[in-house]
Amino acid sequence: MYEALNQPIEVLISFTKNGPIPTSFIWKKKEYYIQELNFIYKEKRGNETIHYFMVSDDSAAYKLCFETESLRWLLMEVYDTLQPENGVSAVKERITITYARQNNITC
Amino acid sequence: MRDRIILHVDYDSFFASVEQQANPFLRNKVVGVTSANSNKGIIVAPSIQAKRVGIKTGMPVFKARALYKNIILVKSDFVKYTHVQKESLKIFAKYTDKIEPFSIDEAFLDITQTCKFFGTPENVALEIKSELRKTIGTLITCSIGIGPNKSMAKIASEINKPNGIFKLTRNNMEEVYKEIELTDVCGIGKATAKKLRDLDINNLEDLAKTNYAILKLNFGNSLANFLTDIVKGTESSGVSSIDFKRVPKSMGHQHTLSSSTKDKLIIRATIKGLTELLARRLRKYKMRCTGLSLYIKDERGLGREAKQSFTKGVDSGQILFEILHQLYLGLNVEQRVRFIGIRAYKLESARYSVLGLFEEETRNELPKPNSNRNTSARSQENTLQQIKYDRKEALSKLLDSLNNVWGTKTIFFGTEIHAGEVQGKTSSFISYD
């Protein structure tokens, strides 16, 4: 299921002849490599244009958004393919494990 | 008269296909797009796979779960769907200037004059499909019906679903009409179909054999003509072109509630939400209306309409709402409400809006509550009403300026809170005819 996050991220973009394509992003110190750009759309919110990129890797689909006024990238939603265990989503669990490893914490 | 060539482009399981395009983990799965990620509410759009297991549009989520336990529910995202519609219209515009969006996922194209540049109508249909695939995505497919008029093109688009093309002509219409239900025809709703069945007209074949006088007696001139045109294939309504220089004759907003309700608070809030959207659009086009209609459909699918005309053009959401609310109360709706639609007609330019010759006439937006008062009391009341009107107009302008910068519904009236996300799920229309 989709999980709303709305969290700031760092994004690496490739400017191709077909337009800009995000290739990877860093969220909570972990880098995610985008394997497929599935759908792009935009929205006009008052004066601001918001660009949305629906991307995916092997294990999850992500909704990234670029705000043209603030030039800020956000990870809006994650669609986690793995079933949540004990109420914790698989993506969140992976993040926790990565964070724990990086900081030498035993889970 | 030479037959026209009309295409009806109808996306297959539109919302669900867009969601499957956006997320590969939803592809080939039983997916239901809902208004909320919960067991409440209805399936707004099932995926093609969901339709195969018997899940239908409008089915309550708990029923869909009973049919398929592991159905994946996805919350509707109208920003995505509107984007696809806009991109589609850009593609259609390469083939003709006569394009009439019929809903968010349907459009009529009149290619009578332009078809010769692209070959046969089937070629045009194939090219459109290929362009849509390239631009929007391979998962978002559409079915295209080709016919000599709008109603036949619409019927044709239903024949080879999903992802098909079908040409309905006067030569094969008899054969096709044997296979379709009365309610498959756009314009024959549940109520008309029931009335037809009561007259022992059970399908289009029976309808073709029915005497016009019988139809006229039971349905009136206009509907009898429509039904006869359908079975004879002589329907002749035009495809409105998207021409931004043309002045719209009417505009409206409509909304299907996530579940049927009798709750007056929700109904009132929904009407308010729709009214503010309509008023904002009137102001955007610099227009005012002198006619308003309210259409309410109950859970049985039966609709009722109330209308009111007034002398002075109005573009203030608050005044429009007061009129619409009176119309709603006048309808005395006792059933649960499923659908609400509002329409502003008799539009006039706000720049050249006619001012009444007499003071009283200019302040006549709303019916006066009491006409037996003396002149000075009435004059005082008029002055107060004018002040009230001016304030409402000033407030509307202020809200517009804020919403124009920060986005629609950034600031809105508290009354609308109970309506939920009216803005996101509303469909709108503009008519030039």
Side-chain angles (χ1 to χ4, degrees):
Chain A
M1 62 178 285
Y2 279 109
E3 194 175 338
L5 293 166
N6 293 327
Q7 289 181 11
I9 48 169
E10 286 172 34
V11 180
L12 203 64
I13 291 276
S14 171
F15 287 90
T16 71
K17 61 179 178 182
N18 296 322
I21 294 174
T23 52
S24 68
F25 65 91
I26 297 170
W27 174 45
K28 290 194 176 175
K29 296 183 181 175
K30 184 181 184 308
E31 189 162 12
Y32 293 81
Y33 296 97
I34 293 164
Q35 286 173 7
E36 208 180 331
L37 174 63
N38 304 300
F39 190 66
I40 305 173
Y41 62 107
K42 60 184 173 187
E43 174 188 21
K44 192 106 174 104
R45 201 183 293 158
N47 283 344
E48 189 176 21
T49 304
I50 321 273
H51 294 267
Y52 297 99
F53 298 82
M54 303 295 295
V55 300
S56 55
D57 62 15
D58 273 344
S59 54
Y62 311 91
K63 179 177 176 178
L64 314 183
C65 118
F66 178 62
E67 296 176 345
T68 50
E69 284 281 303
S70 60
L71 302 180
R72 194 169 67 136
W73 280 90
L74 294 171
L75 173 60
M76 304 290 289
E77 287 172 4
V78 174
Y79 183 86
D80 203 341
T81 53
L82 305 172
Q83 292 299 313
E85 286 171 24
N86 308 322
V88 182
S89 85
V91 166
K92 267 197 177 168
E93 201 167 70
R94 280 202 305 275
I95 298 293
T96 315
I97 292 165
T98 315
Y99 183 79
R101 276 183 197 149
Q102 281 167 352
N103 294 285
N104 295 323
I105 302 167
T106 318
C107 290
Chain B
M1 198 183 82
R2 197 161 71 96
D3 262 350
R4 292 177 297 153
I5 308 167
I6 311 291
L7 303 188
H8 177 248
V9 183
D10 186 7
Y11 279 105
D12 306 314
S13 303
F14 182 55
F15 298 168
S17 299
V18 174
E19 294 301 340
Q20 286 178 321
Q21 176 65 50
N23 182 350
F25 299 103
L26 299 178
R27 294 175 192 170
N28 296 316
K29 301 257 173 72
V30 174
V31 176
V33 177
T34 61
S35 45
N37 273 335
S38 70
N39 265 334
K40 287 180 184 173
I42 53 159
I43 304 288
V44 182
S47 65
I48 292 169
Q49 297 75 14
K51 282 179 182 169
R52 283 184 194 139
V53 296
I55 295 165
K56 290 179 179 163
T57 306
M59 186 179 266
V61 169
F62 71 89
K63 273 192 184 173
R65 273 203 200 282
L67 278 173
Y68 193 86
K69 201 180 120 195
N70 294 326
I71 182 172
I72 303 170
L73 300 178
V74 180
K75 196 170 180 286
S76 57
D77 178 358
F78 276 74
V79 180
K80 273 192 208 121
Y81 315 145
T82 313
H83 174 84
V84 174
Q85 187 199 26
K86 279 183 190 163
E87 292 300 311
S88 313
L89 292 175
K90 279 186 206 164
I91 291 169
F92 301 158
K94 291 180 184 176
Y95 298 91
T96 177
D97 61 332
K98 288 185 179 167
I99 305 159
E100 182 184 328
F102 192 58
S103 68
I104 196 165
D105 63 341
E106 287 175 71
F108 287 105
L109 281 68
D110 185 340
I111 55 163
T112 314
Q113 303 297 331
T114 52
C115 184
K116 57 189 173 208
F117 303 118
F118 306 98
T120 61
E122 286 89 340
N123 273 350
V124 178
L126 281 170
E127 274 192 38
I128 287 176
K129 274 168 156 286
S130 151
E131 286 228 30
L132 289 172
R133 243 192 331 267
K134 270 187 236 156
T135 317
I136 299 165
T138 49
L139 270 291
I140 306 168
T141 61
C142 67
S143 298
I144 301 183
I146 305 164
N149 53 47
K150 279 162 71 176
S151 55
M152 284 174 74
K154 177 129 176 60
I155 291 168
S157 68
E158 293 291 326
I159 311 278
N160 265 344
K161 260 188 172 293
N163 203 12
I165 295 173
F166 189 82
K167 188 176 181 181
L168 185 61
T169 63
R170 293 204 179 83
N171 295 329
N172 65 1
M173 63 185 273
E174 212 171 298
E175 202 64 32
V176 171
Y177 281 8
K178 280 181 192 164
E179 306 292 323
I180 60 173
E181 299 279 328
L182 287 169
T183 45
D184 289 341
V185 177
C186 179
I188 304 183
K190 280 182 191 167
T192 311
K194 187 183 177 294
K195 221 171 162 185
L196 284 166
R197 281 193 202 100
D198 290 344
L199 295 167
D200 210 22
I201 303 168
N202 297 306
N203 49 45
L204 291 175
E205 259 188 309
D206 294 342
L207 186 61
K209 287 174 199 158
T210 310
N211 194 315
Y212 175 77
I214 295 172
L215 294 175
K216 192 179 163 185
L217 188 72
N218 286 282
F219 297 99
N221 250 342
S222 149
L223 193 51
N225 285 340
F226 168 75
L227 293 170
T228 317
D229 282 343
I230 292 286
V231 284
K232 285 188 179 166
T234 50
E235 185 259 324
S236 62
S237 64
V239 174
S240 327
S241 326
I242 302 177
D243 182 353
F244 297 104
K245 284 177 194 160
R246 283 178 73 189
V247 180
K249 289 202 173 163
S250 69
M251 53 178 77
H253 281 270
Q254 51 201 34
H255 178 66
T256 303
L257 297 161
S258 52
S259 56
S260 305
T261 183
K262 265 186 177 178
D263 190 334
K264 288 203 165 70
L265 207 61
I266 295 173
I267 295 166
R268 199 177 123 93
T270 307
I271 296 173
K272 177 72 176 163
L274 292 171
T275 311
E276 287 302 328
L277 288 173
L278 177 66
R280 188 154 182 252
R281 205 139 62 108
L282 281 168
R283 292 192 293 270
K284 187 181 162 194
Y285 278 81
K286 296 193 168 40
M287 311 228 51
R288 286 179 174 166
C289 70
T290 57
L292 261 183
S293 81
L294 173 73
Y295 182 80
I296 288 193
K297 209 189 264 184
D298 64 32
E299 58 189 342
R300 299 166 300 172
L302 300 177
R304 295 168 73 185
E305 190 179 20
K307 291 179 179 182
Q308 189 176 327
S309 296
F310 26 93
T311 46
K312 193 188 170 193
V314 180
D315 63 2
S316 155
Q318 293 178 79
I319 293 170
L320 292 174
F321 174 66
E322 283 175 42
I323 298 167
L324 284 165
H325 192 240
Q326 288 305 317
L327 290 177
Y328 164 65
L329 295 176
L331 278 175
N332 256 331
V333 183
E334 284 171 1
Q335 298 289 326
R336 286 171 180 273
V337 173
R338 187 86 189 89
F339 172 94
I340 299 171
I342 62 170
R343 185 170 68 94
Y345 57 97
K346 290 189 184 170
L347 305 185
E348 58 183 37
S349 169
R351 287 178 197 145
Y352 312 113
S353 204
V354 181
L355 293 173
L357 190 58
F358 304 102
E359 190 186 30
E360 193 175 320
E361 199 182 321
T362 59
R363 293 162 190 172
N364 199 24
E365 301 86 28
L366 289 171
K368 276 192 291 295
N370 192 345
S371 57
N372 294 330
R373 299 186 192 174
N374 61 41
T375 321
S376 74
R378 221 165 42 217
S379 167
Q380 202 176 9
E381 191 183 284
N382 284 336
T383 315
L384 285 171
Q385 203 181 2
Q386 182 63 42
I387 293 168
K388 203 172 144 193
Y389 180 77
D390 289 345
R391 280 183 179 173
K392 283 175 182 175
E393 217 172 31
L395 182 61
S396 298
K397 279 181 187 162
L398 181 66
L399 295 187
D400 279 351
S401 59
L402 286 168
N403 285 326
N404 286 344
V405 175
W406 300 104
T408 308
K409 298 276 178 190
T410 299
I411 182 160
F412 56 87
F413 290 93
T415 337
E416 296 174 48
I417 287 174
H418 300 283
E421 294 171 44
V422 167
Q423 157 64 16
K425 295 175 218 155
T426 301
S427 60
S428 57
F429 60 87
I430 289 182
S431 170
Y432 296 92
D433 297 309

